[in-house]
Amino acid sequence: MRVLVAVKRVIDYNARVRVKSDKSGVDLKNVKMGMNPFCEIAVEEAVKLKEGGSASEVVAVTIGPKAAGDTLRTALAMGADRGVHVLEDGEVQPLAVAKLLAALTRREEATLCMLGKQAIDDDSNQTGQGLAGLLGWPQATFASKVVMDREAGRASVTREVDGGLETLSLKLPAVITADLRLNEPRYATLPNIMKAKKKKVDTVTAQELGVDITPRLKLVKVEEPAKRQAGVMLSSVKELVDRLRNEAKVI
């Protein structure tokens, strides 16, 4: 079974996000970048499936500029066998990403697609669902546990929902998106980082895949959240009730 796992280059989750002065987007100059945390979890799960004998090969895929190649190498250092880099310097929206991944899934003849449930930059949470729709495959999103049954050709996926946990049985091929509690991603060790430099990475373009990635949405404006007022310490319940009634007017 070949597993295709998608990874995205995003602003490091510890970095401070700055909005451009013209409010046209987020300023990416001199900002530390890294792999989307949910993508790391997806890579870890794909590698664990291979280590457990359920998968024969793990192919990591990234879409973005040349600099995104570093993110792809990180996935290879974590244990992916080879990579595919779809070079694109412009904006690639979730629908376009899903179309590109669908084209690559067919080309690679993958049986399972693993993705993070969402990216921490745009928080769209659309790509996995869109990919499943384009391929006509069953899907399990927000996965917190994945168990493969190779003989039956099925995957049992426990997913987190508002009311608790839900377990689905999927017939392969399928699409699975990883949630936070699925696993703890491994660190890429120095020897594996060096080995990753020798692993094969194919470079393609959207045009070569026959995919139209023209943006369907227009970003109008980006603004920072309004600053919150400082909290106030109250001396009694009576004072709290008074403020809720007369200032906040919620009771």
Side-chain angles (χ1 to χ4, degrees):
M1 179 178 76
R2 179 174 293 125
V3 180
L4 188 142
V5 57
V7 297
K8 185 178 182 181
R9 178 176 181 260
V10 299
I11 295 178
D12 187 271
Y13 62 89
N14 287 317
R16 184 175 182 275
V17 177
R18 301 188 305 271
V19 175
K20 293 180 180 179
S21 58
D22 61 359
K23 299 184 179 181
S24 63
V26 175
D27 188 359
L28 299 180
K29 292 181 180 179
N30 302 317
V31 177
K32 183 181 179 183
M33 307 292 284
M35 187 187 299
N36 178 50
F38 292 107
C39 295
E40 288 184 337
I41 296 170
V43 172
E44 174 66 23
E45 194 65 21
V47 172
K48 287 174 67 175
L49 288 175
K50 184 186 175 185
E51 292 173 344
S54 295
S56 58
E57 185 181 33
V58 176
V59 181
V61 177
T62 195
I63 302 166
K66 186 177 180 181
D70 294 339
T71 303
L72 194 58
R73 290 293 176 186
T74 300
L76 296 176
M78 290 176 66
D81 298 294
R82 57 186 175 89
V84 179
H85 188 173
V86 182
L87 278 172
E88 178 54 49
D89 293 324
E91 179 187 12
V92 186
Q93 295 179 349
L95 177 59
V97 174
K99 289 180 178 179
L100 290 169
L101 292 177
L104 287 170
T105 298
R106 296 185 184 101
R107 193 182 78 164
E108 295 290 342
E109 298 181 346
T111 306
L112 177 66
C113 291
M114 293 286 302
L115 302 86
K117 70 170 185 178
Q118 65 194 76
I120 62 172
D121 53 1
D122 58 15
D123 276 334
S124 292
N125 180 27
Q126 297 173 353
T127 303
Q129 295 89 328
L131 174 60
L134 291 169
L135 292 172
W137 289 5
Q139 61 177 298
T141 56
F142 309 103
S144 59
K145 183 179 180 181
V146 177
V147 178
M148 287 290 170
D149 186 340
R150 288 183 295 169
E151 294 184 0
R154 304 189 72 90
S156 176
V157 181
T158 301
R159 58 190 302 267
E160 299 185 0
V161 295
D162 291 340
L165 299 177
E166 178 183 62
T167 301
L168 303 177
S169 178
L170 308 179
K171 182 174 177 58
L172 299 176
V175 176
I176 298 175
T177 69
D179 208 342
L180 186 64
R181 282 164 285 278
L182 179 57
N183 59 53
E184 183 70 29
R186 69 193 69 188
Y187 287 101
T189 62
L190 182 58
N192 287 333
I193 291 173
M194 300 306 293
K195 291 178 183 178
K197 295 181 179 180
K198 298 181 180 179
K199 290 184 178 180
K200 182 180 178 182
V201 175
D202 295 325
T203 301
V204 297
T205 64
Q207 290 75 19
E208 291 172 347
L209 293 172
V211 177
D212 177 15
I213 59 172
T214 303
R216 265 60 174 182
L217 304 175
K218 180 181 179 181
L219 180 63
V220 178
K221 184 169 61 174
V222 176
E223 291 183 302
E224 292 187 9
K227 293 184 179 180
R228 295 182 178 180
Q229 294 181 349
V232 178
M233 294 295 293
L234 303 178
S235 59
S236 66
V237 174
K238 182 179 179 181
E239 186 180 358
L240 172 61
V241 173
D242 180 68
R243 291 207 176 205
L244 290 175
R245 177 179 291 119
N246 300 315
E247 291 184 19
K249 298 186 184 302
V250 295
I251 60 173

